[in-house]
Amino acid sequence: MAVKQNFFAEKREWSKLKDQILDHYLAPYLAKITTSGRPTRIADCFAGKGRFDDGQPGSPIIIAKHVDAMRARSPAPDVKAIFIEQKYAAELRANLAAASNCQVIEGDYEQFVLGFLSGRVDRDRNYFFYVDPYGIKSLNFSHFARLKAVGFQSLEILINLNTTGFLREGCRLLKLTRKIPEWADDLDFDTDGKNTPVRMDEVADGNYWQTILADFQTRTIDFHQAEEQFIAGYIERLGTHFKYVVNIPIKERSHHMPKYRLVFATDYHDGLFLMVNEMNAAWRKLLEQERGGQLYLFDATALEALGGLTIQEKVIAELRLPMNLRDLLICLIRKHGIAHTIGEYKAAIKEKEGSVFKLMRDPPKTPTGKPSHSMDYNKGKIIVNPIPPKWPKWPPKWPVLQP
Ligand SMILES: C[S@@+](CC[C@H](N)C(=O)[O-])C[C@H]1O[C@@H](n2cnc3c(N)ncnc32)[C@H](O)[C@@H]1O
């Protein structure tokens, strides 16, 4: 099946969303990661033309802008970008003509990764991989695992995972007779016709997707549930290699089904917190757009259905024992994904400081000798303690009955 020819004709809503998250993430990421003093490399693995035909920037132009911004710093950190593109390398080179520290590699992503892994790898570097293919055929899971096993100074990966396309392809390969919803057809989904269940296992890192689709076939679950189970399985597997994995579903309003998932994997809580904030901002923005009648959005219901608890209630539920603020935030993200920003969690805790939460800070005072109210765990130790609710005294005082 040929891929949709006019992907680059016009930048559509879901491409804008991916790029917005990438764009907003890169500035704070680069500012932070370059303080390590190690060289930093951004690899855009399915780079595209660089610019859409309607003039909008694609991921390469966005990345090049951030590389340039870092070069303008004094002293300039060692930051470079690598763009891998099979079909549009010439256009990409032209679009990046004015960019510095950017290298275009014409060719196949898989060949590049395999060549990279078998060559002399400099581990003393930070790498950020942006993986944005049309479909799933090139997303061999073991490449991510092998990259991680190298032990770079740091490695972060942002993957556009077309979960719906994966399951649709799975149904076709397993010759399932249950019809999948019509909308699940994705014109951006590219397959070379050479897919096999074994190859799909390699993408998913296991055959759990076949069990999920068997349940779909027997009507134990619907397609929506199948997608949710599949992404849960995928994240669990990626989580065996990276400390933190978060994802954002991008859904089509009329069906409430993710068009795809952006999956982010990192070992660094700073990276996790930054990405959660960005994904949350993008989700809210699209929610607004949906209210304005646009087509694509994140589905609010899925995120709000996380128990219907307030943020404070979610914090209380997590806080059985005193906890370091940073670890508490990590636990909350593990449980509630991108539902809230770091700032929202901190504000909710601070609002009830003294009544619901007791905060112990080290140092307890500011440099000017005032009591510290800091919520910045990078500047000192902050332990959050639950304050048990006050129970009425027992036995209660009975009212004196008048004769
Ligand atoms: C979804 S587009 C990328 C869009 C890009 N991230 C952007 O924001 O502008 C996927 C790109 O991957 C390229 N591509 C497809 N298969 C590839 C492969 N095996 N290796 C490298 N590039 C490939 C396609 O030519 C296409 O330009």
Side-chain angles (χ1 to χ4, degrees):
M1 183 175 89
V3 72
K4 191 173 172 70
Q5 290 302 308
N6 61 355
F7 178 88
F8 290 102
E10 180 191 5
K11 189 159 165 177
R12 286 163 297 165
E13 288 308 314
W14 55 92
S15 289
K16 284 184 192 160
L17 171 86
K18 284 183 287 195
D19 288 355
Q20 179 200 315
I21 290 174
L22 179 72
D23 189 11
H24 291 188
Y25 181 73
L26 280 181
Y29 162 76
L30 286 173
K32 181 95 196 169
I33 207 80
T34 50
T35 58
S36 67
R38 308 297 206 291
T40 300
R41 301 291 177 259
I42 303 171
D44 187 353
C45 299
F46 296 83
K49 286 186 179 181
R51 199 176 280 290
F52 286 74
D53 300 346
D54 63 0
Q56 297 243 31
S59 52
I61 299 274
I62 293 167
I63 292 169
K65 175 184 81 179
H66 289 288
V67 171
D68 258 354
M70 294 312 289
R71 273 174 48 89
R73 291 190 168 201
S74 180
D78 180 355
V79 179
K80 287 183 184 154
I82 304 138
F83 301 96
I84 305 146
E85 170 56 44
Q86 200 167 40
K87 188 171 172 188
Y88 299 111
E91 276 121 313
L92 180 56
R93 280 201 184 99
N95 280 325
L96 287 174
S100 46
N101 282 10
C102 289
Q103 183 192 2
V104 175
I105 298 176
E106 180 168 10
D108 173 47
Y109 153 79
E110 288 207 270
Q111 294 305 319
F112 167 79
V113 175
L114 293 174
F116 176 68
L117 285 166
S118 60
R120 201 187 66 80
V121 182
D122 188 350
R123 283 195 283 166
D124 202 28
R125 287 183 173 183
N126 304 303
Y127 272 97
F128 180 95
F129 276 74
Y130 181 45
V131 185
D132 181 24
Y134 286 134
I136 43 95
K137 74 176 162 67
S138 308
L139 292 186
N140 193 319
F141 189 97
S142 70
H143 296 340
F144 302 142
R146 285 183 63 192
L147 280 168
K148 186 64 179 48
V150 171
F152 292 113
Q153 167 73 16
S154 76
L155 173 68
E156 301 198 342
I157 304 189
L158 183 63
I159 311 166
N160 170 9
L161 184 69
N162 192 327
T163 44
T164 304
F166 181 97
L167 291 177
R168 195 188 54 234
E169 182 72 344
C171 287
R172 186 183 73 78
L173 290 168
L174 299 178
K175 300 189 172 53
L176 301 189
T177 51
R178 186 173 175 193
K179 263 201 162 335
I180 57 163
E182 235 170 60
W183 54 265
D185 239 358
D186 181 354
L187 294 172
D188 289 341
F189 190 86
D190 185 21
T191 155
D192 53 10
K194 290 182 193 152
N195 269 342
T196 60
V198 171
R199 205 164 147 186
M200 301 287 276
D201 289 354
E202 287 166 5
V203 171
D205 192 36
N207 61 6
Y208 59 99
W209 62 277
Q210 300 193 27
T211 315
I212 296 169
L213 283 181
D215 286 345
F216 168 70
Q217 172 71 9
T218 55
R219 297 186 177 272
T220 313
I221 56 173
D222 60 22
F223 203 68
H224 181 90
Q225 291 163 318
E227 195 275 341
E228 287 194 334
Q229 289 185 14
F230 174 58
I231 189 67
Y234 189 86
I235 281 175
E236 192 187 320
R237 278 149 185 85
L238 205 53
T240 62
H241 299 277
F242 290 85
K243 269 194 192 161
Y244 314 119
V245 184
V246 279
N247 85 94
I248 184 162
I250 295 153
K251 302 195 176 194
E252 193 177 3
R253 181 173 50 173
S254 43
H255 308 289
H256 287 284
M257 272 300 293
K259 182 161 176 65
Y260 61 85
R261 302 261 179 173
L262 265 191
V263 179
F264 175 68
T266 181
D267 275 350
Y268 300 93
H269 66 268
D270 283 329
L272 174 76
F273 292 172
L274 277 173
M275 188 54 87
V276 165
N277 285 345
E278 284 320 320
M279 287 184 166
N280 179 280
W283 165 60
R284 278 167 204 249
K285 184 174 164 190
L286 285 184
L287 223 54
E288 282 302 311
Q289 284 183 357
E290 187 238 356
R291 288 190 194 112
Q294 304 272 326
L295 243 187
Y296 287 88
L297 79 167
F298 299 106
D299 183 34
T301 34
L303 293 168
E304 281 164 6
L306 291 163
L309 300 173
T310 66
I311 302 182
Q312 270 148 7
E313 285 165 340
K314 288 176 187 173
V315 177
I316 293 165
E318 226 36 54
L319 196 66
R320 298 269 170 249
L321 293 167
M323 272 179 102
N324 183 310
L325 175 61
R326 201 192 66 190
D327 295 343
L328 175 62
L329 292 168
I330 290 168
C331 287
L332 286 160
I333 292 168
R334 284 212 166 106
K335 186 120 164 224
H336 303 289
I338 60 157
H340 307 288
T341 63
I342 302 304
E344 285 170 344
Y345 282 126
K346 284 185 180 178
I349 296 168
K350 200 161 184 178
E351 193 194 326
K352 295 285 177 192
E353 181 172 359
S355 56
V356 178
F357 308 110
K358 183 177 174 200
L359 274 77
M360 284 151 63
R361 297 178 174 90
D362 186 12
K365 295 203 169 159
T366 64
T368 55
K370 294 190 180 133
S372 168
H373 297 290
S374 167
M375 296 298 277
D376 187 348
Y377 44 77
N378 286 323
K379 294 205 175 129
K381 202 168 174 183
I382 303 175
I383 305 290
V384 187
N385 301 261
I387 299 179
K390 280 195 181 116
W391 296 101
K393 278 195 178 140
W394 193 263
K397 256 191 176 172
W398 299 107
V400 181
L401 293 175
Q402 299 297 327

